[in-house]
Amino acid sequence: MLLRCIFPASWKHNICKLYSTQPPQVISTNIYINKLVKSGQLDIARNVFDEMPRRTVVSWNTMISGYSKWWKFNEALALLSSMHRSDVKFKESTFSTALSLCGRLQSLSPGKQIHCVVIKSGCESFEFVGSSMLYFYANCFEIEGAKRVFHDLHDKNELLWNLMIVGYVESGLMREALDMFMKMPKRDVVAWTTLISGYVKSEEGCEKALELFWWMRGSSEVLPNEFTLDSVIRACSRLGDLCEGRLVHGILIKYGFEFDQSIGGALIEFYSDCDAIADAKRVYDGVANPSLNASNSLIRGLISTGKIEDAELIFDRLVEANSVSYNLMIKGYAACGRAEDSKRLFEEMSERTIVSTNTMISVYSRSGEIDKALKLFELTQGERNSVTWNSMMSGYIQNEQYKEALMLYLNMCRLQIARTRSTFSVLFHACSCLRSLQQGQLLHAHLTKTPFQSNVYVGTSLVDMYSKCGSIADAHRSFSSIYSPNVAAWTAIINGYAHHGLGSQAISLFEHMLEKGMVPNGATFVGTLSACAHAGLVNEGMKLFRSMEKCYGVVPTIEHYACVVDLLGRAGLLQEAEEFIKKMPVEADEVVWGALLHSCWYWMDMEVGERVAEKLFSMNPKTISVYVILSNIYAILGKWGEKLEVRQRLRDLEAKKDPGCSWIELDNRLFVFSIEDRSHPCFNMIYATLQHLTTNLNSLHFASF
């Protein structure tokens, strides 16, 4: 876009002058070559060119420009080299084409040689030659060379200002681009648009892009064009700023760009990203012949808001769907539980991409068909990317095959496949599920050799892993190493402290999070309420619960109600907890009543315990833990008749309580054991050692009397 604005399509004025000095036969041949080039018949044009008994500079320029127009840059550069060897004198149009070619190919050495020839010929002061020189250096990311050209020629060439800004923007030097913009004697729409689009594409630059746009509007220097408005809409999309985007939408309606295909696509993407799917649909319906990209944006938005049937209608109406369309629908079907439709679409695809295969690996994994996922993974040999490996590892973890996921990671390392942040996130989750601290530490050592150590997503997984594997100190150190922790990272460390019974520290972290300006979400409140329960901070917990919706817009869910019941129950406020359950706006489930029953056991409150137990029996008469807890309450209170009655009811169910288990990690292997467990091959030696330890402990006990 920028180059079209800055450079004309051809140097018609100069070519006309050259034509006037050429023999009629050469002129007619050059015109014929130009006609062939315009229609894309490059091979025929080259044959005609090669058979010319006499070639002029126009002949060479026409053929070179033709190759360049049809993206045959290497052929164009080779012909340019032949032209130079043939001692044909370069004209300004030749230099411009040659330097542009070197810029597009990022051929630094040939471009510098042409620059030397330009200086010898004295053509650098020509407007288009100087512009092409700056473009060449900027496109090769030789920003110092571009600056030298600008310094030498900008007084005589106004085009260089815009090109220098383009160079800075494409090199990611936004501060320098802004400085250049501020020094411009006259700013046109190209300069404004270049800077705005540069900020939109840069990290955290969208707010600056909007600031520039409103400054542009207030300055009245120029009117925005379709490219400006396209960039601004995309800035609003990235920021998720629905209000600002609607203002820009009003402006583009005023300028008549609403139904432009590119802007229409940007608007659909913007409204979809902001979950304003009705507005996205309205824009889509108003665009004549919407592009495939616009259709895909709407399909993506409909799927993200759970409207799979509407997405299906758009997809079915597509004249020609591409792999992106198929991939979106395959993911959409999978997300709403229609795995069979995902499989059907995958089978229908004429050209499957690696993205499609990666998606289907995830689909098969989620539906428990891990063998089919593995079969697809094996078929991708030779074209696998990091996502393929991550999808397969994630599939293993979803199907509780954690060791297989770790083995796959070792193969990935052996083959030197690039690891991504997702690689580490899924594997730390595997270590969490295995409760394998040693494996987690080994993986952490691998992480330190990558650029992802301070990444918030990886860091959050690391915090969660250390918390669940029992090392809260390592969890805190990992949290501290995150560059910019988000609400998920704060929630992970708060939950970690809460689960370790360190309620006061968890609440302190929550307060620190609020001081940092973070807005807590539902998961954060679950962890913090749990921390209050562990610390016995009833008043603080109840105050926090009441502030959820009022201050933070978080509507309490059944999990939050269960936390409050646990909070009141642990503090011995059993009747208050029972009343709280009765007043809940949602129906209490077994988890909520179960939390209260555990508190009745702790406080030996038989009266409330019996009522809660009967409630749980009415919900599920086969819940073994309820019988066990109620039996234990009766036993401790000496109600032996009631205890025997409960035990008889339990026996009548012919059910057995799952035995508790413990585990130990040794040499990176996890050993699980339970009461009377004889599954280990060395169980005789284990029981002999246990007997020896018991005898020694008993002898020490009696010796102390």
Short mmCIF file of all heavy atoms in Angstrom, two decimals, residues 39-93:
data_model
loop_
_atom_site.label_atom_id
_atom_site.label_comp_id
_atom_site.label_asym_id
_atom_site.label_seq_id
_atom_site.Cartn_x
_atom_site.Cartn_y
_atom_site.Cartn_z
N SER A 39 0.20 -9.18 -19.99
CA SER A 39 -0.72 -10.32 -19.95
C SER A 39 -0.11 -11.54 -19.26
O SER A 39 -0.73 -12.60 -19.20
CB SER A 39 -1.17 -10.68 -21.37
OG SER A 39 -0.05 -11.10 -22.14
N GLY A 40 1.13 -11.39 -18.77
CA GLY A 40 1.76 -12.48 -18.02
C GLY A 40 2.45 -13.52 -18.88
O GLY A 40 2.90 -14.55 -18.36
N GLN A 41 2.58 -13.27 -20.18
CA GLN A 41 3.23 -14.24 -21.08
C GLN A 41 4.74 -13.98 -21.11
O GLN A 41 5.31 -13.58 -22.13
CB GLN A 41 2.62 -14.14 -22.48
CG GLN A 41 1.11 -14.42 -22.49
CD GLN A 41 0.51 -14.29 -23.88
OE1 GLN A 41 0.74 -15.15 -24.75
NE2 GLN A 41 -0.24 -13.21 -24.10
N LEU A 42 5.37 -14.23 -19.98
CA LEU A 42 6.78 -13.86 -19.81
C LEU A 42 7.72 -14.69 -20.68
O LEU A 42 8.72 -14.17 -21.19
CB LEU A 42 7.17 -13.99 -18.34
CG LEU A 42 6.44 -13.06 -17.36
CD1 LEU A 42 6.87 -13.35 -15.93
CD2 LEU A 42 6.72 -11.60 -17.69
N ASP A 43 7.43 -15.97 -20.85
CA ASP A 43 8.31 -16.83 -21.66
C ASP A 43 8.33 -16.38 -23.11
O ASP A 43 9.40 -16.31 -23.75
CB ASP A 43 7.85 -18.29 -21.58
CG ASP A 43 8.07 -18.88 -20.20
OD1 ASP A 43 8.91 -18.33 -19.46
OD2 ASP A 43 7.41 -19.88 -19.86
N ILE A 44 7.14 -16.05 -23.66
CA ILE A 44 7.08 -15.57 -25.06
C ILE A 44 7.78 -14.23 -25.16
O ILE A 44 8.54 -13.97 -26.11
CB ILE A 44 5.60 -15.47 -25.52
CG1 ILE A 44 4.93 -16.85 -25.46
CG2 ILE A 44 5.52 -14.89 -26.93
CD1 ILE A 44 3.44 -16.82 -25.72
N ALA A 45 7.53 -13.35 -24.19
CA ALA A 45 8.17 -12.03 -24.18
C ALA A 45 9.68 -12.17 -24.16
O ALA A 45 10.40 -11.46 -24.88
CB ALA A 45 7.69 -11.23 -22.98
N ARG A 46 10.19 -13.13 -23.37
CA ARG A 46 11.64 -13.32 -23.28
C ARG A 46 12.20 -13.84 -24.60
O ARG A 46 13.30 -13.43 -25.03
CB ARG A 46 11.96 -14.28 -22.14
CG ARG A 46 13.46 -14.50 -21.92
CD ARG A 46 14.20 -13.20 -21.62
NE ARG A 46 15.63 -13.36 -21.59
CZ ARG A 46 16.33 -13.58 -20.47
NH1 ARG A 46 15.71 -13.68 -19.31
NH2 ARG A 46 17.63 -13.69 -20.53
N ASN A 47 11.46 -14.74 -25.25
CA ASN A 47 11.92 -15.24 -26.56
C ASN A 47 12.02 -14.12 -27.58
O ASN A 47 13.00 -14.03 -28.35
CB ASN A 47 10.97 -16.33 -27.08
CG ASN A 47 11.11 -17.63 -26.30
OD1 ASN A 47 12.17 -17.90 -25.73
ND2 ASN A 47 10.06 -18.44 -26.27
N VAL A 48 10.99 -13.24 -27.60
CA VAL A 48 11.01 -12.09 -28.51
C VAL A 48 12.19 -11.19 -28.18
O VAL A 48 12.92 -10.72 -29.07
CB VAL A 48 9.68 -11.31 -28.43
CG1 VAL A 48 9.75 -10.02 -29.25
CG2 VAL A 48 8.52 -12.19 -28.91
N PHE A 49 12.40 -10.95 -26.89
CA PHE A 49 13.51 -10.10 -26.43
C PHE A 49 14.86 -10.69 -26.86
O PHE A 49 15.73 -9.97 -27.39
CB PHE A 49 13.44 -9.96 -24.91
CG PHE A 49 14.62 -9.25 -24.29
CD1 PHE A 49 14.67 -7.86 -24.25
CD2 PHE A 49 15.69 -9.96 -23.75
CE1 PHE A 49 15.75 -7.20 -23.68
CE2 PHE A 49 16.77 -9.31 -23.19
CZ PHE A 49 16.81 -7.93 -23.16
N ASP A 50 15.03 -12.01 -26.67
CA ASP A 50 16.31 -12.65 -27.00
C ASP A 50 16.60 -12.63 -28.50
O ASP A 50 17.76 -12.62 -28.92
CB ASP A 50 16.31 -14.11 -26.50
CG ASP A 50 16.40 -14.20 -24.98
OD1 ASP A 50 16.83 -13.21 -24.35
OD2 ASP A 50 16.03 -15.25 -24.42
N GLU A 51 15.53 -12.63 -29.33
CA GLU A 51 15.71 -12.66 -30.79
C GLU A 51 15.87 -11.27 -31.40
O GLU A 51 16.08 -11.15 -32.62
CB GLU A 51 14.50 -13.36 -31.43
CG GLU A 51 14.48 -14.87 -31.13
CD GLU A 51 13.17 -15.52 -31.57
OE1 GLU A 51 12.34 -14.82 -32.19
OE2 GLU A 51 13.00 -16.72 -31.28
N MET A 52 15.78 -10.23 -30.59
CA MET A 52 15.92 -8.86 -31.12
C MET A 52 17.36 -8.64 -31.61
O MET A 52 18.30 -8.85 -30.85
CB MET A 52 15.59 -7.81 -30.06
CG MET A 52 14.12 -7.70 -29.70
SD MET A 52 13.82 -6.45 -28.42
CE MET A 52 14.03 -4.94 -29.37
N PRO A 53 17.52 -8.21 -32.85
CA PRO A 53 18.89 -7.94 -33.35
C PRO A 53 19.51 -6.73 -32.67
O PRO A 53 20.72 -6.62 -32.54
CB PRO A 53 18.67 -7.69 -34.85
CG PRO A 53 17.23 -7.29 -34.97
CD PRO A 53 16.50 -8.00 -33.89
N ARG A 54 18.64 -5.81 -32.24
CA ARG A 54 19.15 -4.62 -31.57
C ARG A 54 18.22 -4.29 -30.41
O ARG A 54 17.02 -4.20 -30.56
CB ARG A 54 19.18 -3.45 -32.55
CG ARG A 54 19.67 -2.15 -31.93
CD ARG A 54 19.56 -1.02 -32.90
NE ARG A 54 19.81 0.26 -32.23
CZ ARG A 54 19.57 1.45 -32.77
NH1 ARG A 54 19.06 1.52 -33.98
NH2 ARG A 54 19.83 2.55 -32.10
N ARG A 55 18.82 -4.16 -29.22
CA ARG A 55 18.02 -3.85 -28.04
C ARG A 55 18.40 -2.47 -27.53
O ARG A 55 19.58 -2.10 -27.53
CB ARG A 55 18.24 -4.87 -26.92
CG ARG A 55 17.99 -6.31 -27.30
CD ARG A 55 18.12 -7.22 -26.08
NE ARG A 55 18.15 -8.62 -26.46
CZ ARG A 55 19.27 -9.34 -26.60
NH1 ARG A 55 20.44 -8.78 -26.34
NH2 ARG A 55 19.19 -10.60 -26.97
N THR A 56 17.39 -1.74 -27.07
CA THR A 56 17.63 -0.43 -26.45
C THR A 56 17.42 -0.56 -24.95
O THR A 56 16.98 -1.60 -24.44
CB THR A 56 16.66 0.62 -27.01
OG1 THR A 56 15.33 0.24 -26.65
CG2 THR A 56 16.78 0.75 -28.52
N VAL A 57 17.71 0.52 -24.26
CA VAL A 57 17.51 0.52 -22.80
C VAL A 57 16.04 0.27 -22.46
O VAL A 57 15.72 -0.35 -21.43
CB VAL A 57 18.03 1.85 -22.19
CG1 VAL A 57 17.17 3.04 -22.61
CG2 VAL A 57 18.07 1.75 -20.66
N VAL A 58 15.13 0.71 -23.34
CA VAL A 58 13.70 0.48 -23.11
C VAL A 58 13.39 -1.01 -23.18
O VAL A 58 12.59 -1.54 -22.40
CB VAL A 58 12.83 1.27 -24.12
CG1 VAL A 58 11.36 0.91 -23.96
CG2 VAL A 58 13.03 2.76 -23.94
N SER A 59 14.03 -1.72 -24.12
CA SER A 59 13.83 -3.17 -24.24
C SER A 59 14.20 -3.87 -22.94
O SER A 59 13.44 -4.71 -22.42
CB SER A 59 14.67 -3.73 -25.39
OG SER A 59 14.56 -2.96 -26.55
N TRP A 60 15.38 -3.53 -22.44
CA TRP A 60 15.85 -4.13 -21.19
C TRP A 60 14.92 -3.78 -20.02
O TRP A 60 14.51 -4.64 -19.24
CB TRP A 60 17.27 -3.65 -20.88
CG TRP A 60 18.33 -4.20 -21.78
CD1 TRP A 60 18.82 -3.62 -22.91
CD2 TRP A 60 19.04 -5.43 -21.62
NE1 TRP A 60 19.79 -4.41 -23.49
CE2 TRP A 60 19.95 -5.53 -22.71
CE3 TRP A 60 19.00 -6.46 -20.69
CZ2 TRP A 60 20.81 -6.61 -22.87
CZ3 TRP A 60 19.87 -7.53 -20.84
CH2 TRP A 60 20.75 -7.61 -21.93
N ASN A 61 14.60 -2.48 -19.92
CA ASN A 61 13.76 -2.03 -18.80
C ASN A 61 12.38 -2.69 -18.82
O ASN A 61 11.83 -3.04 -17.78
CB ASN A 61 13.59 -0.51 -18.85
CG ASN A 61 14.85 0.22 -18.41
OD1 ASN A 61 15.80 -0.39 -17.93
ND2 ASN A 61 14.87 1.53 -18.60
N THR A 62 11.82 -2.84 -20.04
CA THR A 62 10.48 -3.45 -20.16
C THR A 62 10.49 -4.89 -19.67
O THR A 62 9.61 -5.33 -18.92
CB THR A 62 9.99 -3.39 -21.62
OG1 THR A 62 10.00 -2.04 -22.06
CG2 THR A 62 8.58 -3.96 -21.74
N MET A 63 11.53 -5.63 -20.08
CA MET A 63 11.62 -7.04 -19.70
C MET A 63 11.90 -7.19 -18.21
O MET A 63 11.29 -8.02 -17.52
CB MET A 63 12.72 -7.71 -20.52
CG MET A 63 12.62 -9.24 -20.55
SD MET A 63 11.15 -9.83 -21.38
CE MET A 63 10.50 -10.93 -20.12
N ILE A 64 12.80 -6.36 -17.68
CA ILE A 64 13.14 -6.42 -16.25
C ILE A 64 11.93 -6.05 -15.40
O ILE A 64 11.59 -6.73 -14.42
CB ILE A 64 14.34 -5.50 -15.94
CG1 ILE A 64 15.62 -6.05 -16.58
CG2 ILE A 64 14.53 -5.34 -14.42
CD1 ILE A 64 16.76 -5.07 -16.63
N SER A 65 11.22 -4.98 -15.80
CA SER A 65 10.01 -4.55 -15.07
C SER A 65 8.94 -5.62 -15.12
O SER A 65 8.19 -5.82 -14.16
CB SER A 65 9.47 -3.25 -15.66
OG SER A 65 10.40 -2.21 -15.49
N GLY A 66 8.86 -6.33 -16.27
CA GLY A 66 7.87 -7.41 -16.41
C GLY A 66 8.12 -8.53 -15.43
O GLY A 66 7.19 -9.00 -14.76
N TYR A 67 9.38 -8.94 -15.33
CA TYR A 67 9.72 -9.99 -14.35
C TYR A 67 9.38 -9.52 -12.92
O TYR A 67 8.84 -10.27 -12.11
CB TYR A 67 11.21 -10.31 -14.43
CG TYR A 67 11.58 -11.30 -15.51
CD1 TYR A 67 12.63 -11.04 -16.38
CD2 TYR A 67 10.90 -12.51 -15.64
CE1 TYR A 67 13.00 -11.96 -17.36
CE2 TYR A 67 11.24 -13.43 -16.62
CZ TYR A 67 12.29 -13.15 -17.48
OH TYR A 67 12.63 -14.07 -18.44
N SER A 68 9.71 -8.26 -12.64
CA SER A 68 9.46 -7.72 -11.31
C SER A 68 7.97 -7.67 -11.00
O SER A 68 7.54 -8.01 -9.90
CB SER A 68 10.07 -6.33 -11.21
OG SER A 68 9.89 -5.79 -9.93
N LYS A 69 7.18 -7.26 -12.01
CA LYS A 69 5.74 -7.15 -11.81
C LYS A 69 5.11 -8.49 -11.45
O LYS A 69 4.18 -8.57 -10.64
CB LYS A 69 5.09 -6.60 -13.09
CG LYS A 69 3.58 -6.52 -13.03
CD LYS A 69 2.99 -6.12 -14.36
CE LYS A 69 1.46 -6.19 -14.33
NZ LYS A 69 0.86 -5.89 -15.64
N TRP A 70 5.64 -9.57 -12.06
CA TRP A 70 5.08 -10.91 -11.83
C TRP A 70 5.88 -11.69 -10.78
O TRP A 70 5.84 -12.90 -10.73
CB TRP A 70 5.00 -11.69 -13.14
CG TRP A 70 3.99 -11.10 -14.08
CD1 TRP A 70 4.23 -10.20 -15.09
CD2 TRP A 70 2.58 -11.31 -14.06
NE1 TRP A 70 3.06 -9.85 -15.72
CE2 TRP A 70 2.02 -10.52 -15.12
CE3 TRP A 70 1.73 -12.08 -13.28
CZ2 TRP A 70 0.66 -10.49 -15.38
CZ3 TRP A 70 0.37 -12.05 -13.56
CH2 TRP A 70 -0.16 -11.26 -14.59
N TRP A 71 6.60 -10.96 -9.91
CA TRP A 71 7.30 -11.54 -8.76
C TRP A 71 8.41 -12.51 -9.15
O TRP A 71 8.78 -13.37 -8.37
CB TRP A 71 6.31 -12.24 -7.82
CG TRP A 71 5.27 -11.30 -7.27
CD1 TRP A 71 4.11 -10.91 -7.88
CD2 TRP A 71 5.31 -10.58 -6.03
NE1 TRP A 71 3.43 -10.02 -7.11
CE2 TRP A 71 4.13 -9.80 -5.95
CE3 TRP A 71 6.21 -10.54 -4.97
CZ2 TRP A 71 3.85 -8.97 -4.87
CZ3 TRP A 71 5.92 -9.73 -3.90
CH2 TRP A 71 4.76 -8.96 -3.86
N LYS A 72 8.95 -12.33 -10.36
CA LYS A 72 10.10 -13.15 -10.79
C LYS A 72 11.36 -12.34 -10.53
O LYS A 72 12.08 -11.93 -11.45
CB LYS A 72 9.98 -13.49 -12.28
CG LYS A 72 8.69 -14.22 -12.67
CD LYS A 72 8.78 -15.69 -12.39
CE LYS A 72 7.57 -16.44 -12.92
NZ LYS A 72 7.64 -17.89 -12.66
N PHE A 73 11.64 -12.11 -9.24
CA PHE A 73 12.70 -11.18 -8.88
C PHE A 73 14.09 -11.70 -9.23
O PHE A 73 14.96 -10.93 -9.67
CB PHE A 73 12.62 -10.86 -7.38
CG PHE A 73 11.31 -10.26 -6.96
CD1 PHE A 73 10.61 -10.77 -5.88
CD2 PHE A 73 10.77 -9.20 -7.66
CE1 PHE A 73 9.40 -10.22 -5.49
CE2 PHE A 73 9.55 -8.64 -7.28
CZ PHE A 73 8.87 -9.16 -6.19
N ASN A 74 14.33 -12.99 -9.05
CA ASN A 74 15.65 -13.54 -9.37
C ASN A 74 15.94 -13.44 -10.86
O ASN A 74 17.06 -13.11 -11.27
CB ASN A 74 15.74 -15.00 -8.91
CG ASN A 74 15.83 -15.11 -7.39
OD1 ASN A 74 16.61 -14.41 -6.76
ND2 ASN A 74 15.01 -15.96 -6.80
N GLU A 75 14.92 -13.72 -11.71
CA GLU A 75 15.09 -13.60 -13.16
C GLU A 75 15.36 -12.14 -13.54
O GLU A 75 16.18 -11.86 -14.42
CB GLU A 75 13.85 -14.11 -13.89
CG GLU A 75 13.63 -15.61 -13.82
CD GLU A 75 12.88 -16.05 -12.57
OE1 GLU A 75 12.82 -15.27 -11.61
OE2 GLU A 75 12.36 -17.19 -12.56
N ALA A 76 14.65 -11.22 -12.86
CA ALA A 76 14.83 -9.79 -13.14
C ALA A 76 16.25 -9.35 -12.80
O ALA A 76 16.90 -8.63 -13.57
CB ALA A 76 13.82 -8.98 -12.35
N LEU A 77 16.75 -9.83 -11.65
CA LEU A 77 18.10 -9.44 -11.23
C LEU A 77 19.16 -10.05 -12.15
O LEU A 77 20.17 -9.39 -12.47
CB LEU A 77 18.33 -9.90 -9.78
CG LEU A 77 19.48 -9.24 -9.03
CD1 LEU A 77 19.29 -7.73 -8.95
CD2 LEU A 77 19.58 -9.81 -7.62
N ALA A 78 18.93 -11.28 -12.61
CA ALA A 78 19.87 -11.91 -13.56
C ALA A 78 19.92 -11.14 -14.87
O ALA A 78 21.00 -10.92 -15.45
CB ALA A 78 19.45 -13.36 -13.82
N LEU A 79 18.75 -10.68 -15.36
CA LEU A 79 18.70 -9.92 -16.61
C LEU A 79 19.35 -8.56 -16.43
O LEU A 79 20.03 -8.05 -17.34
CB LEU A 79 17.24 -9.76 -17.05
CG LEU A 79 17.01 -9.28 -18.48
CD1 LEU A 79 17.65 -10.24 -19.49
CD2 LEU A 79 15.52 -9.14 -18.78
N LEU A 80 19.19 -7.98 -15.25
CA LEU A 80 19.83 -6.70 -14.95
C LEU A 80 21.35 -6.83 -15.00
O LEU A 80 22.06 -5.96 -15.53
CB LEU A 80 19.38 -6.23 -13.57
CG LEU A 80 19.79 -4.83 -13.15
CD1 LEU A 80 18.99 -3.78 -13.89
CD2 LEU A 80 19.57 -4.65 -11.64
N SER A 81 21.85 -7.95 -14.48
CA SER A 81 23.29 -8.22 -14.51
C SER A 81 23.78 -8.36 -15.96
O SER A 81 24.84 -7.83 -16.32
CB SER A 81 23.58 -9.50 -13.72
OG SER A 81 24.94 -9.80 -13.73
N SER A 82 22.99 -9.04 -16.80
CA SER A 82 23.35 -9.18 -18.23
C SER A 82 23.37 -7.83 -18.92
O SER A 82 24.22 -7.56 -19.77
CB SER A 82 22.34 -10.10 -18.94
OG SER A 82 22.35 -11.38 -18.38
N MET A 83 22.40 -6.98 -18.54
CA MET A 83 22.33 -5.63 -19.12
C MET A 83 23.60 -4.84 -18.80
O MET A 83 24.17 -4.16 -19.65
CB MET A 83 21.10 -4.92 -18.56
CG MET A 83 20.88 -3.51 -19.07
SD MET A 83 19.42 -2.76 -18.29
CE MET A 83 19.45 -1.13 -19.06
N HIS A 84 24.04 -4.96 -17.54
CA HIS A 84 25.25 -4.25 -17.12
C HIS A 84 26.48 -4.76 -17.87
O HIS A 84 27.33 -3.98 -18.31
CB HIS A 84 25.43 -4.40 -15.62
CG HIS A 84 26.56 -3.58 -15.06
ND1 HIS A 84 26.63 -2.21 -15.18
CD2 HIS A 84 27.68 -3.96 -14.36
CE1 HIS A 84 27.73 -1.77 -14.60
NE2 HIS A 84 28.39 -2.82 -14.09
N ARG A 85 26.55 -6.10 -18.05
CA ARG A 85 27.68 -6.69 -18.78
C ARG A 85 27.67 -6.32 -20.25
O ARG A 85 28.70 -6.33 -20.91
CB ARG A 85 27.67 -8.22 -18.62
CG ARG A 85 28.05 -8.71 -17.24
CD ARG A 85 28.38 -10.20 -17.24
NE ARG A 85 27.28 -11.00 -17.75
CZ ARG A 85 26.31 -11.50 -16.99
NH1 ARG A 85 26.30 -11.24 -15.68
NH2 ARG A 85 25.34 -12.23 -17.52
N SER A 86 26.48 -6.00 -20.77
CA SER A 86 26.36 -5.64 -22.19
C SER A 86 26.69 -4.17 -22.45
O SER A 86 26.51 -3.67 -23.57
CB SER A 86 24.93 -5.93 -22.68
OG SER A 86 24.62 -7.29 -22.53
N ASP A 87 27.15 -3.49 -21.39
CA ASP A 87 27.54 -2.07 -21.48
C ASP A 87 26.40 -1.16 -21.92
O ASP A 87 26.62 -0.14 -22.60
CB ASP A 87 28.74 -1.90 -22.44
CG ASP A 87 30.00 -2.54 -21.89
OD1 ASP A 87 30.17 -2.52 -20.65
OD2 ASP A 87 30.80 -3.07 -22.68
N VAL A 88 25.17 -1.54 -21.58
CA VAL A 88 24.03 -0.66 -21.85
C VAL A 88 23.97 0.37 -20.73
O VAL A 88 24.02 0.00 -19.55
CB VAL A 88 22.71 -1.46 -21.92
CG1 VAL A 88 21.53 -0.52 -22.18
CG2 VAL A 88 22.79 -2.52 -23.00
N LYS A 89 23.87 1.61 -21.09
CA LYS A 89 23.88 2.67 -20.09
C LYS A 89 22.56 2.68 -19.32
O LYS A 89 21.49 2.73 -19.91
CB LYS A 89 24.10 4.02 -20.76
CG LYS A 89 24.29 5.16 -19.76
CD LYS A 89 24.56 6.48 -20.47
CE LYS A 89 24.73 7.60 -19.45
NZ LYS A 89 24.95 8.92 -20.11
N PHE A 90 22.66 2.62 -18.00
CA PHE A 90 21.47 2.63 -17.16
C PHE A 90 20.84 4.02 -17.17
O PHE A 90 21.54 5.03 -17.11
CB PHE A 90 21.80 2.26 -15.71
CG PHE A 90 22.03 0.80 -15.48
CD1 PHE A 90 22.29 -0.07 -16.53
CD2 PHE A 90 22.00 0.27 -14.20
CE1 PHE A 90 22.51 -1.42 -16.31
CE2 PHE A 90 22.21 -1.07 -13.95
CZ PHE A 90 22.47 -1.92 -15.02
N LYS A 91 19.52 4.05 -17.24
CA LYS A 91 18.77 5.29 -17.07
C LYS A 91 18.23 5.34 -15.64
O LYS A 91 18.32 4.37 -14.89
CB LYS A 91 17.62 5.35 -18.08
CG LYS A 91 18.07 5.30 -19.54
CD LYS A 91 18.85 6.54 -19.91
CE LYS A 91 19.26 6.52 -21.38
NZ LYS A 91 20.06 7.71 -21.74
N GLU A 92 17.61 6.47 -15.30
CA GLU A 92 17.09 6.60 -13.93
C GLU A 92 16.03 5.54 -13.63
O GLU A 92 15.95 5.00 -12.52
CB GLU A 92 16.53 8.00 -13.69
CG GLU A 92 15.38 8.38 -14.61
CD GLU A 92 14.88 9.79 -14.36
OE1 GLU A 92 14.01 9.94 -13.49
OE2 GLU A 92 15.36 10.71 -15.02
N SER A 93 15.21 5.18 -14.62
CA SER A 93 14.19 4.15 -14.41
C SER A 93 14.84 2.79 -14.17
O SER A 93 14.34 1.98 -13.40
CB SER A 93 13.24 4.08 -15.60
OG SER A 93 13.95 3.84 -16.80
#
